[in-house]
Amino acid sequence: MLLDELNTPIVLAPMAGGPSTPELAAAVSDAGGLGFLGAGYLGAEDLGGRIKQTRTLTSAAFGVNLFYPSAPSPVTSFGDYVDQLAREFPVGEARFDTDGWAAKLDLLIADPVRVVSSTFGCPSPEEIARLHAVGTEVWVTVTSVAEARIAVEAGADALIAQGGEAGGHRGSFADRPEDDTADPLGLLALLQLLTAAVELPVIATGSITTGAALAAVLTAGAAAAQIGTAFLRCPEAGTAPLIRDAITLDTPTMLTRAFTGRRARGLRNKFMLDHQQAPAAYPEIHYATGPLRAAARASGNADEVNLWAGQAHSLAPELPAGELVRQLSREAKEALNRAVSIRIQGY
């Protein structure tokens, strides 16, 4: 198991759509963690180029994350919303695609990496078997015990437990509006439920930005932590300047469908507040809002762009990625030593 080979139990969150770069993945792997490339929104050829580039930067292992395709949404479910946006903003075509799932899977069979993780769903047993046949481990992002059991049955090697605190898209297999009234499971609750229900290693993710938080999830039974927001300000990350600046502020986060049609956590802004009734239609709305988000980034308008970040975003430091890995590891050891030294009355 690759987790057993890491010098530190830190996994880089993929962060597709900009922050993910070969430089960032390589720096985390070189520091003893596990770097990841986010393949979301990339074509297979572009992904292949990034894998090749990462290999020129590090000889250490790294992984690739894929978006599992959803089903298309009927135009009747999102057409009025897109028409409404078009009256005020530049919008694009609200289209469906599979994010090149089959082509990217074929690429990773032909040119394997050590780990492939999935978000938004679980690969089929046949797809997992294909990856296993070329020596690749398969990790599946889950947000509930029910999803974890599906991943176990399909043959997954590890689970990535995404708590409700996490920045970016919820990794849930199904994205149902009727579930929006229920609170997403927080990371600590999810870890307890998963470790009681399944025997696979669990990688915890959800606004882990300090060594103390890393120590906490390890104590709660996680084999490692997948960390994203804490790396957004690293020089190796492809984070837009607008987002680098925004996450330093003590702005509350919220879950929204406004930008992409799928629930995601980001810094609260005017667009999110004005469009709280946005429908569930991913990736159709993601493509429709692409031009308005690009325009907002270009003009520095933080009120009309998705600022994905976890709840503890304001603690993200501005450090080189390798230095951050070492700092988190050191702080985690210190926190664990403090915890061990605490005397529990009666013991």
Side-chain angles (χ1 to χ4, degrees):
M1 189 82 189
L2 180 54
L3 286 170
D4 298 330
E5 301 174 20
L6 301 181
N7 290 330
T8 188
I10 293 174
V11 176
L12 174 67
M15 298 188 291
S20 176
T21 65
E23 291 80 6
L24 182 60
V28 171
S29 290
D30 277 344
L34 181 66
F36 253 88
L37 294 174
Y41 313 123
L42 300 178
E45 184 176 352
D46 193 358
L47 173 60
R50 294 192 183 203
I51 291 172
K52 182 177 180 180
Q53 184 180 355
T54 305
R55 287 187 175 128
T56 68
L57 297 171
T58 182
S59 59
F62 62 92
V64 170
N65 173 260
L66 300 179
F67 287 173
Y68 193 80
S70 58
S73 302
V75 175
T76 53
S77 71
F78 63 83
D80 288 346
Y81 179 67
V82 175
D83 289 343
Q84 174 194 346
L85 293 181
R87 289 192 286 270
E88 186 177 354
F89 304 101
V91 299
E93 179 189 359
R95 60 185 175 85
F96 173 80
D97 67 20
T98 63
D99 199 49
W101 169 267
K104 292 175 189 176
L105 189 62
D106 287 344
L107 167 70
L108 291 165
I109 299 298
D111 189 12
V113 295
R114 288 291 303 276
V115 182
V116 167
S117 69
S118 68
T119 303
F120 306 152
C122 180
S124 68
E126 293 76 19
E127 289 167 331
I128 290 177
R130 290 180 67 198
L131 289 163
H132 282 169
V134 295
T136 299
E137 293 180 17
V138 178
W139 300 357
V140 177
T141 304
V142 301
T143 61
S144 69
V145 171
E147 292 174 350
R149 287 179 171 143
I150 291 171
V152 170
E153 184 68 21
D157 299 287
L159 305 173
I160 301 170
Q162 186 194 45
E165 308 93 328
H169 285 108
R170 300 285 297 146
S172 308
F173 292 8
D175 187 43
R176 297 180 291 257
E178 58 267 29
D179 294 337
D180 291 2
T181 56
D183 291 334
L185 284 169
L187 181 55
L188 186 57
L190 181 59
L191 276 174
Q192 293 175 82
L193 293 169
L194 290 181
T195 54
V198 300
E199 295 184 359
L200 290 183
V202 177
I203 298 101
T205 190
S207 213
I208 300 166
T209 54
T210 64
L214 170 58
V217 297
L218 295 175
T219 302
Q226 180 176 274
I227 301 175
T229 299
F231 287 95
L232 284 175
R233 299 180 68 211
C234 295
E236 300 92 341
T239 314
L242 180 67
I243 300 176
R244 287 180 185 272
D245 294 339
I247 65 171
T248 65
L249 305 176
D250 192 22
T251 305
T253 66
M254 64 182 284
L255 289 167
T256 183
R257 296 184 187 277
F259 289 107
T260 69
R262 176 179 266 274
R263 292 185 93 193
R265 183 174 298 281
L267 304 188
R268 190 173 65 191
N269 62 12
K270 186 176 186 300
F271 191 90
M272 294 161 71
L273 292 172
D274 287 349
H275 301 92
Q276 296 187 58
Q277 303 306 313
Y282 179 88
E284 290 89 350
I285 293 174
H286 162 78
Y287 288 117
T289 64
L292 77 86
R293 290 182 282 122
R297 281 192 295 270
S299 64
N301 182 359
D303 266 326
E304 295 175 3
V305 70
N306 54 307
L307 306 168
W308 299 151
Q311 289 180 326
H313 58 86
S314 63
L315 298 177
E318 190 172 19
L319 291 172
E323 186 175 337
L324 178 54
V325 169
R326 290 185 286 273
Q327 175 177 296
L328 291 170
S329 300
R330 182 175 64 253
E331 290 177 349
K333 290 178 182 177
E334 292 169 354
L336 289 168
N337 287 334
R338 285 196 302 273
V340 169
S341 69
I342 294 174
R343 181 176 180 273
I344 301 176
Q345 191 168 0
Y347 290 87

